[in-house]
């Protein structure tokens, strides 16, 4: 058992994920040292699991505000809370279906991607619906010196269309028009963070590598992703109602495993805004 400041944690895998022990709602909201300890534990573990918290939206927002500025969206009933479910007509239902591919949130735009995402489980599916995490820092660190050198010069193009095409085999013209509203963005394949750490920017949103054919680029991206997400490098969380999981979106890839849209699975998400652009 490790102590991250005032936080007791137990690693789930060597490279990603830790369960946090001994934190209740009172500590989430009032422990003065908790925000820094959570930030340290996230930097070290990438994703943190708190079991059985059963927090309501107000508590989730209050806790997340202790970590930074929150993203808001006007179409949410509560601007700080995005409800993720596949109910027919749910906002963003189509985009949630794209989440079955590994990705980094916000990597398809030039703005700083979200720093921390916090999900709490309000209703779970009996089968499927797990969320998986893998460390993009560990993915970089596992490269050979020759690869680190070679990849430091490469740039990757990321787009919404790239990830959505992987979720829909036969998109309609209307879907393509929607996905192509933004043409995507170029990023370095190896992101050098302000901390000096480096991570790999790969996932379903990566559609090609500049200077390579689409096929060569996809082959490289798929190879890197396969190496980064071997079972021993994946923290897969099977949800129980009341669990809260948070992750450092700048240092991990994540994906949701498929589940029955009729299961009613419902996750409430708060997003702490990022301050660091991909560079
Ligand atoms: Fe996501």
């Amino acid at each position: 058992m490790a102590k991250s400041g005032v936080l007791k944690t137990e690693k789930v895998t060597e490279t990603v994920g830790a369960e946090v022990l001994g934190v209740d709602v009172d500590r989430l909201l009032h422990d003065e040292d908790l925000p820094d300890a959570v930030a340290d534990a996230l930097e070290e573990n990438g994703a943190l699991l708190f079991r059985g918290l059963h927090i309501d939206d107000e508590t989730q927002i209050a806790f997340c505000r202790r970590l930074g500025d929150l993203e808001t969206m006007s179409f949410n009933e509560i601007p700080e809370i995005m409800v993720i479910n596949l109910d027919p007509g749910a906002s963003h239902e189509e985009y949630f279906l794209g989440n079955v591919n590994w990705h980094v949130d916000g990597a398809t735009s030039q703005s700083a991607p979200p720093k921390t995402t916090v999900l709490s489980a309000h209703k779970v599916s009996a089968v499927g619906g797990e969320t998986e995490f893998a460390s993009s820092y560990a993915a970089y660190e596992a490269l050979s010196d020759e690869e680190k050198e070679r990849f430091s010069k490469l740039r990757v193009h990321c787009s919404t269309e790239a990830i959505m095409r992987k979720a829909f085999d036969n998109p309609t013209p209307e879907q393509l028009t929607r996905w192509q509203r933004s043409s995507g963005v170029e990023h370095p394949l190896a992101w050098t963070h302000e901390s000096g750490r480096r991570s790999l920017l790969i996932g379903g949103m990566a559609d090609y590598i500049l200077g390579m054919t689409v096929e060569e680029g996809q082959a490289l991206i798929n190879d890197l992703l396969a190496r980064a997400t071997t079972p021993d490098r994946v923290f897969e969380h099977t949800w129980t109602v009341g669990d809260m999981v948070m992750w450092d979106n700048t240092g991990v890839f994540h994906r949701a495993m498929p589940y029955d849209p009729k299961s009613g699975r419902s996750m409430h998400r708060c997003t702490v805004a990022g301050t660091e652009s991909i560079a």
Side-chain angles (χ1 to χ4, degrees):
M1 191 175 298
K3 265 194 150 186
S4 216
V6 290
L7 221 51
K8 277 187 206 158
T9 57
E10 238 168 41
K11 274 188 182 292
V12 182
T13 79
E14 200 48 49
T15 53
V16 68
E19 179 168 352
V20 177
L21 304 169
V23 170
D24 56 14
V25 171
D26 184 55
R27 283 194 68 195
L28 275 190
L29 297 183
H30 305 297
D31 181 337
E32 274 184 21
D33 299 323
L34 195 80
D36 284 347
V38 162
D40 290 348
L42 271 183
E43 187 71 16
E44 185 185 336
N45 299 292
L48 300 175
L49 161 65
F50 301 71
R51 288 189 198 273
L53 279 180
H54 295 280
I55 51 173
D56 58 18
D57 292 337
E58 197 184 331
T59 303
Q60 187 167 346
I61 292 169
F63 165 60
C64 292
R65 280 209 178 112
R66 303 186 74 201
L67 307 175
D69 293 335
L70 300 191
E71 293 189 354
T72 58
M73 290 184 193
S74 56
F75 54 78
N76 296 336
E77 201 177 313
I78 302 170
E80 295 87 352
I81 296 277
M82 178 190 276
V83 177
I84 300 174
N85 61 41
L86 296 178
D87 293 349
S91 70
H92 280 56
E93 178 201 355
E94 176 181 69
Y95 293 100
F96 296 149
L97 291 169
N99 289 343
V100 295
N101 292 286
W102 289 105
H103 63 282
V104 172
D105 289 336
T108 57
S109 101
Q110 203 65 262
S111 330
K115 173 61 181 165
T116 308
T117 306
V118 181
L119 278 188
S120 65
H122 286 241
K123 186 151 189 233
V124 301
S125 52
V127 179
E130 301 87 353
T131 306
E132 292 192 339
F133 304 93
S135 171
S136 54
Y137 287 129
Y140 178 82
E141 283 152 20
L143 299 174
S144 69
D145 288 345
E146 181 275 323
E147 286 175 319
K148 285 179 182 171
E149 169 65 23
R150 183 154 48 95
F151 297 161
S152 70
K153 301 180 187 79
L154 294 181
R155 293 182 71 77
V156 59
H157 187 270
C158 296
S159 70
T160 302
E161 183 183 355
I163 194 161
M164 296 307 289
R165 273 187 184 275
K166 294 179 179 83
F168 291 85
D169 289 336
N170 296 300
T172 64
E174 292 76 21
Q175 283 179 307
L176 286 172
T177 303
R178 255 196 313 279
W179 303 341
Q180 290 165 352
R181 259 183 225 143
S182 156
S183 57
V185 64
E186 264 179 46
H187 293 302
L189 183 64
W191 173 3
T192 306
H193 298 246
E194 287 169 10
S195 65
R197 294 178 85 187
R198 301 188 93 181
S199 65
L200 278 186
L201 199 72
I202 47 177
M205 70 288 171
D207 49 6
Y208 59 88
I209 305 265
L210 279 86
M212 292 185 183
T213 65
V214 171
E215 291 74 22
E216 281 171 344
Q218 272 301 327
L220 175 58
I221 291 161
N222 290 340
D223 173 53
L224 293 174
L225 203 52
R227 287 159 58 184
T229 57
T230 51
D232 59 318
R233 289 174 168 262
V234 172
F235 162 33
E236 180 186 76
H237 182 56
T238 302
W239 293 94
T240 298
V241 171
D243 289 348
M244 180 180 91
V245 172
M246 59 194 300
W247 69 92
D248 172 3
N249 179 59
T250 68
V252 299
F253 328 106
H254 62 282
R255 68 175 176 178
M257 303 308 283
Y259 55 94
D260 181 356
K262 296 193 197 75
S263 66
R265 180 186 187 271
S266 183
M267 298 285 153
H268 287 209
R269 166 178 153 171
C270 270
T271 310
V272 180
T275 56
E276 189 178 339
S277 295
I278 299 171

